[in-house]
Amino acid sequence: MQLLLLHLDDALELQPDFVRACTLAGAYHHVDKRGGSAIRLWGKQKMLSDLGRDISRSLPSRGRGPQLAFMGSGDFHHVTALLLDTALERRPVSTTLVHFDNHPDWVNFEGGMHCGSWINSALSNPKIDKVVTVGVCSGDLRNPERKGANLRWLREGKLELYPYEHPPSRVSAEYGSGASYRQDGRALYWNSISAIGEDNFIDRILSRIGTEAVYVTVDKDVLAADDAVTNWDQGRMRLPYLMALISEIGSRHRIIGADVIGDYSVPSYAGGFTTRLLKQAEIFIDQPRLRQAADAVRNINSAANHALLEVLAEAME
């Protein structure tokens, strides 16, 4: 396994114990805060392609095992699409993307890629058999079409979404029924984890992965606030349950790559005045204000990262 710390902001530097442990474990560091400021929340395709090439060049050619990356704030979740492409270039096999997140990241976005749109890019890769999104509790599922959701993936069976818990979603079109939902009139009723039961859901998700190869991405905003502090609203999953799901997936499938994001960092943006203004407006509307002391934030996020590093390293052996 290759361990990568991707420093696009200062989130990981604020956890020196975790960084030190990763460095002792042989982690490679890629530092590009200037590039990170330019693509935070969203970025033009050329910027993202350049970053993807830079990351690939920073990794050694020897020991081409699966890559595990930790990369700071959830504002960079679209970087997962770049890491996924790299993993599939190394191992061009049919793969299921398992996506733990409090948000579905499925909106349409023109002219580049947004941290809330990258699932569309992932599904455009011909080697991705399916995306299974797990743990959503956010308001993105309320009237999703009005919020730009690309729901055709549900209809085509390329995307399954299992909220942790969520009321029905109002939609305007006919989507039929799928493994993770059923439609009744203009409402989608989700097969949520809370309705299925946590123990039963472990069997459910394993039954929905039809490929040997899996890529795992974890946005820690899927976790309850006691287990992570992020830039976004938090879900309701607890850390031990997330670790149990990862462990079970790893015991039955070959994880060809993984990444972890969702550490809080103070937003910093580069680019023109209009771009910076639009990004500031977006976080003002969409992101809650941080109300915890810096020491508490560091301790909570570092503990979660240590735990996720341990379970993912074991699952990727």
Side-chain angles (χ1 to χ4, degrees), residues 280-306:
Q280 290 285 356
E282 179 173 335
I283 68 165
F284 180 79
I285 294 169
D286 289 342
Q287 294 186 355
R289 307 284 82 78
L290 181 66
R291 301 183 184 278
Q292 291 175 272
D295 286 348
V297 173
R298 180 186 64 246
N299 293 339
I300 291 170
N301 283 336
S302 182
N305 279 341
H306 278 287

Short mmCIF file of all heavy atoms in Angstrom, two decimals, residues 280-306:
data_model
loop_
_atom_site.label_atom_id
_atom_site.label_comp_id
_atom_site.label_asym_id
_atom_site.label_seq_id
_atom_site.Cartn_x
_atom_site.Cartn_y
_atom_site.Cartn_z
N GLN A 280 -17.14 32.41 -1.60
CA GLN A 280 -17.48 32.90 -0.26
C GLN A 280 -18.99 32.90 -0.05
O GLN A 280 -19.48 32.53 1.03
CB GLN A 280 -16.92 34.32 -0.06
CG GLN A 280 -15.41 34.39 0.05
CD GLN A 280 -14.90 33.91 1.40
OE1 GLN A 280 -15.67 33.58 2.28
NE2 GLN A 280 -13.58 33.87 1.54
N ALA A 281 -19.74 33.28 -1.08
CA ALA A 281 -21.19 33.28 -0.97
C ALA A 281 -21.73 31.86 -0.80
O ALA A 281 -22.66 31.62 -0.01
CB ALA A 281 -21.81 33.93 -2.22
N GLU A 282 -21.13 30.90 -1.50
CA GLU A 282 -21.59 29.52 -1.39
C GLU A 282 -21.38 28.97 0.01
O GLU A 282 -22.29 28.35 0.58
CB GLU A 282 -20.87 28.64 -2.41
CG GLU A 282 -21.31 27.18 -2.33
CD GLU A 282 -20.74 26.31 -3.43
OE1 GLU A 282 -20.43 26.84 -4.51
OE2 GLU A 282 -20.63 25.09 -3.21
N ILE A 283 -20.20 29.20 0.58
CA ILE A 283 -19.99 28.65 1.92
C ILE A 283 -20.83 29.39 2.96
O ILE A 283 -21.24 28.80 3.97
CB ILE A 283 -18.51 28.65 2.32
CG1 ILE A 283 -17.97 30.07 2.50
CG2 ILE A 283 -17.68 27.87 1.33
CD1 ILE A 283 -16.63 30.10 3.23
N PHE A 284 -21.11 30.67 2.73
CA PHE A 284 -21.96 31.41 3.66
C PHE A 284 -23.36 30.80 3.70
O PHE A 284 -23.98 30.70 4.76
CB PHE A 284 -22.04 32.88 3.25
CG PHE A 284 -22.90 33.72 4.16
CD1 PHE A 284 -22.42 34.16 5.38
CD2 PHE A 284 -24.20 34.05 3.80
CE1 PHE A 284 -23.22 34.92 6.23
CE2 PHE A 284 -25.01 34.81 4.63
CZ PHE A 284 -24.51 35.24 5.85
N ILE A 285 -23.83 30.35 2.53
CA ILE A 285 -25.17 29.77 2.44
C ILE A 285 -25.19 28.31 2.90
O ILE A 285 -26.10 27.89 3.62
CB ILE A 285 -25.69 29.87 0.98
CG1 ILE A 285 -25.90 31.33 0.60
CG2 ILE A 285 -26.99 29.08 0.81
CD1 ILE A 285 -26.16 31.53 -0.88
N ASP A 286 -24.18 27.54 2.50
CA ASP A 286 -24.24 26.08 2.64
C ASP A 286 -23.51 25.52 3.85
O ASP A 286 -23.82 24.40 4.28
CB ASP A 286 -23.68 25.41 1.38
CG ASP A 286 -24.60 25.57 0.19
OD1 ASP A 286 -25.78 25.88 0.40
OD2 ASP A 286 -24.14 25.37 -0.95
N GLN A 287 -22.51 26.21 4.36
CA GLN A 287 -21.68 25.62 5.42
C GLN A 287 -21.99 26.24 6.78
O GLN A 287 -22.09 27.46 6.89
CB GLN A 287 -20.20 25.80 5.10
CG GLN A 287 -19.75 25.02 3.87
CD GLN A 287 -18.25 25.09 3.64
OE1 GLN A 287 -17.52 25.79 4.34
NE2 GLN A 287 -17.77 24.35 2.65
N PRO A 288 -22.13 25.41 7.80
CA PRO A 288 -22.38 25.94 9.16
C PRO A 288 -21.13 26.61 9.72
O PRO A 288 -20.01 26.34 9.28
CB PRO A 288 -22.74 24.69 9.96
CG PRO A 288 -22.04 23.58 9.24
CD PRO A 288 -22.05 23.94 7.79
N ARG A 289 -21.32 27.47 10.69
CA ARG A 289 -20.18 28.12 11.35
C ARG A 289 -19.57 27.18 12.39
O ARG A 289 -20.28 26.47 13.10
CB ARG A 289 -20.62 29.41 12.07
CG ARG A 289 -21.40 30.39 11.21
CD ARG A 289 -20.51 31.17 10.24
NE ARG A 289 -20.21 30.43 9.03
CZ ARG A 289 -21.07 30.30 8.01
NH1 ARG A 289 -22.29 30.82 8.08
NH2 ARG A 289 -20.74 29.65 6.94
N LEU A 290 -18.26 27.17 12.46
CA LEU A 290 -17.56 26.32 13.43
C LEU A 290 -17.74 26.90 14.83
O LEU A 290 -17.51 28.09 15.06
CB LEU A 290 -16.07 26.23 13.10
CG LEU A 290 -15.23 25.36 14.03
CD1 LEU A 290 -15.63 23.90 13.90
CD2 LEU A 290 -13.75 25.54 13.73
N ARG A 291 -18.13 26.05 15.79
CA ARG A 291 -18.39 26.51 17.15
C ARG A 291 -17.53 25.77 18.19
O ARG A 291 -17.83 25.82 19.37
CB ARG A 291 -19.87 26.34 17.49
CG ARG A 291 -20.80 27.09 16.55
CD ARG A 291 -22.25 26.96 16.96
NE ARG A 291 -23.15 27.60 16.01
CZ ARG A 291 -23.42 28.89 15.98
NH1 ARG A 291 -22.86 29.70 16.85
NH2 ARG A 291 -24.24 29.40 15.07
N GLN A 292 -16.47 25.10 17.75
CA GLN A 292 -15.63 24.33 18.68
C GLN A 292 -14.23 24.91 18.74
O GLN A 292 -13.74 25.51 17.77
CB GLN A 292 -15.58 22.87 18.23
CG GLN A 292 -16.92 22.15 18.41
CD GLN A 292 -16.87 20.74 17.85
OE1 GLN A 292 -17.14 20.52 16.69
NE2 GLN A 292 -16.54 19.78 18.70
N ALA A 293 -13.58 24.71 19.86
CA ALA A 293 -12.21 25.19 20.04
C ALA A 293 -11.25 24.40 19.16
O ALA A 293 -11.49 23.23 18.84
CB ALA A 293 -11.80 25.06 21.51
N ALA A 294 -10.16 25.06 18.79
CA ALA A 294 -9.19 24.44 17.88
C ALA A 294 -8.64 23.13 18.42
O ALA A 294 -8.45 22.17 17.67
CB ALA A 294 -8.06 25.42 17.59
N ASP A 295 -8.36 23.06 19.73
CA ASP A 295 -7.81 21.84 20.31
C ASP A 295 -8.80 20.68 20.18
O ASP A 295 -8.40 19.54 19.89
CB ASP A 295 -7.46 22.05 21.79
CG ASP A 295 -6.21 22.89 21.96
OD1 ASP A 295 -5.49 23.12 20.96
OD2 ASP A 295 -5.94 23.33 23.11
N ALA A 296 -10.08 20.96 20.41
CA ALA A 296 -11.09 19.91 20.30
C ALA A 296 -11.21 19.42 18.87
O ALA A 296 -11.33 18.21 18.62
CB ALA A 296 -12.44 20.43 20.80
N VAL A 297 -11.18 20.35 17.92
CA VAL A 297 -11.25 19.98 16.51
C VAL A 297 -10.09 19.08 16.14
O VAL A 297 -10.26 18.03 15.50
CB VAL A 297 -11.26 21.25 15.62
CG1 VAL A 297 -11.14 20.87 14.14
CG2 VAL A 297 -12.52 22.07 15.85
N ARG A 298 -8.88 19.47 16.54
CA ARG A 298 -7.69 18.68 16.23
C ARG A 298 -7.78 17.29 16.83
O ARG A 298 -7.50 16.28 16.17
CB ARG A 298 -6.44 19.39 16.75
CG ARG A 298 -5.15 18.63 16.45
CD ARG A 298 -3.94 19.25 17.09
NE ARG A 298 -4.01 19.22 18.55
CZ ARG A 298 -4.12 20.29 19.32
NH1 ARG A 298 -4.15 21.49 18.78
NH2 ARG A 298 -4.21 20.17 20.64
N ASN A 299 -8.16 17.20 18.10
CA ASN A 299 -8.19 15.91 18.78
C ASN A 299 -9.23 14.97 18.17
O ASN A 299 -8.96 13.77 17.99
CB ASN A 299 -8.46 16.11 20.27
CG ASN A 299 -7.33 16.82 20.98
OD1 ASN A 299 -6.19 16.82 20.51
ND2 ASN A 299 -7.61 17.43 22.11
N ILE A 300 -10.40 15.50 17.87
CA ILE A 300 -11.46 14.66 17.30
C ILE A 300 -11.06 14.15 15.92
O ILE A 300 -11.16 12.95 15.61
CB ILE A 300 -12.79 15.45 17.23
CG1 ILE A 300 -13.34 15.70 18.63
CG2 ILE A 300 -13.82 14.70 16.39
CD1 ILE A 300 -14.51 16.66 18.67
N ASN A 301 -10.57 15.05 15.06
CA ASN A 301 -10.24 14.64 13.70
C ASN A 301 -9.01 13.74 13.65
O ASN A 301 -8.95 12.80 12.85
CB ASN A 301 -10.03 15.88 12.82
CG ASN A 301 -11.36 16.52 12.43
OD1 ASN A 301 -12.38 15.86 12.42
ND2 ASN A 301 -11.33 17.80 12.12
N SER A 302 -8.03 14.01 14.50
CA SER A 302 -6.84 13.17 14.52
C SER A 302 -7.18 11.75 14.97
O SER A 302 -6.69 10.77 14.40
CB SER A 302 -5.78 13.78 15.44
OG SER A 302 -4.60 13.01 15.44
N ALA A 303 -8.03 11.63 15.98
CA ALA A 303 -8.43 10.30 16.46
C ALA A 303 -9.14 9.52 15.36
O ALA A 303 -8.89 8.32 15.16
CB ALA A 303 -9.33 10.43 17.69
N ALA A 304 -10.04 10.19 14.63
CA ALA A 304 -10.75 9.51 13.55
C ALA A 304 -9.79 9.10 12.44
O ALA A 304 -9.89 7.99 11.89
CB ALA A 304 -11.84 10.42 12.99
N ASN A 305 -8.83 9.96 12.10
CA ASN A 305 -7.88 9.62 11.05
C ASN A 305 -6.99 8.44 11.44
O ASN A 305 -6.71 7.56 10.62
CB ASN A 305 -7.01 10.84 10.71
CG ASN A 305 -7.72 11.80 9.78
OD1 ASN A 305 -8.68 11.44 9.11
ND2 ASN A 305 -7.26 13.03 9.75
N HIS A 306 -6.52 8.42 12.69
CA HIS A 306 -5.74 7.27 13.16
C HIS A 306 -6.55 5.98 13.00
O HIS A 306 -6.02 4.95 12.53
CB HIS A 306 -5.34 7.46 14.62
CG HIS A 306 -4.13 8.31 14.83
ND1 HIS A 306 -2.86 7.88 14.54
CD2 HIS A 306 -4.00 9.57 15.32
CE1 HIS A 306 -1.98 8.83 14.83
NE2 HIS A 306 -2.65 9.87 15.32
#
